């Protein structure tokens, strides 16, 4: 099942991240390094929002929504679809977006820094 939402072109990255986590060794390594539940809330040019999460705490999965049922995200990252596209493609850094106010972080800011390696996995696979 695709995680892509056509109203959010950069959401294809979540399929790429999910694909990279399908390898058992990659998934275990990502859980070890991430050890958090990351939520992403994207806003498109039309002003619509949608959310996805990356569970690097237990299952090593990517899905729609802000968190699995009964759980809450350790950190929630809110940004525009365009900025997420730039972040995943390596055209900008999370710190730069955060400092310029384009990336909002709720929850454990230190854990937010652990999301970058998993987003880099999408750089090699996503066609955004």
């Amino acid at each position: 099942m695709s995680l892509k939402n056509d109203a959010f072109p950069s959401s294809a990255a979540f399929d790429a991240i999910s694909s990279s986590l399908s390898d058992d060794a990659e998934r275990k390594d990502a859980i070890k390094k991430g050890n958090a539940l990351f939520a992403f809330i994207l806003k498109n040019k039309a002003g619509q929002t949608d959310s996805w999460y990356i569970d690097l705490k237990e299952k090593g999965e990517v899905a729609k929504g802000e968190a699995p049922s009964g759980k809450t995200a350790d950190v929630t990252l809110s940004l525009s679809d365009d900025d997420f596209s730039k972040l995943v493609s390596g055209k900008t850094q999370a710190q730069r977006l955060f400092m310029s106010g384009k990336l909002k972080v709720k929850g454990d800011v230190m854990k937010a820094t652990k999301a970058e390696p998993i987003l880099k996995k999408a750089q090699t696979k996503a066609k955004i």
Side-chain angles (χ1 to χ4, degrees):
M1 184 181 95
S2 176
L3 298 167
K4 186 171 192 261
N5 177 336
D6 290 334
F8 298 83
S10 71
S11 64
F14 292 107
D15 282 329
I17 294 167
S18 183
S19 169
S20 74
L21 293 174
S22 63
D23 177 70
D24 215 32
E26 288 278 340
R27 183 173 57 253
K28 286 178 181 170
D29 183 56
I31 290 171
K32 185 177 166 187
K33 288 179 181 171
N35 192 30
L37 183 59
F38 302 96
F40 293 85
I41 300 173
L42 303 183
K43 186 173 189 174
N44 67 12
K45 289 178 180 165
Q48 300 167 307
T49 60
D50 204 352
S51 55
W52 294 261
Y53 68 84
I54 303 173
D55 177 356
L56 295 183
K57 201 170 203 170
E58 295 173 7
K59 296 182 182 174
E61 68 178 5
V62 184
K64 298 272 291 168
E66 289 187 39
S69 181
K71 309 256 175 155
T72 56
D74 293 300
V75 61
T76 301
L77 306 166
S78 302
L79 66 164
S80 74
D81 184 61
D82 283 346
D83 287 331
F84 184 70
S85 177
K86 290 175 191 169
L87 182 62
V88 173
S89 64
K91 293 178 182 164
T92 192
Q93 295 176 322
Q95 292 160 318
R96 188 170 290 146
L97 291 173
F98 181 74
M99 297 303 252
S100 65
K102 294 179 178 179
L103 169 63
K104 306 273 191 260
V105 179
K106 286 184 189 163
D108 191 333
V109 176
M110 291 310 293
K111 288 202 177 190
T113 62
K114 296 186 178 198
E116 212 149 1
I118 192 71
L119 295 178
K120 286 194 187 319
K121 290 182 186 296
Q123 282 181 21
T124 56
K125 296 188 179 210
K127 291 172 180 66
I128 299 174

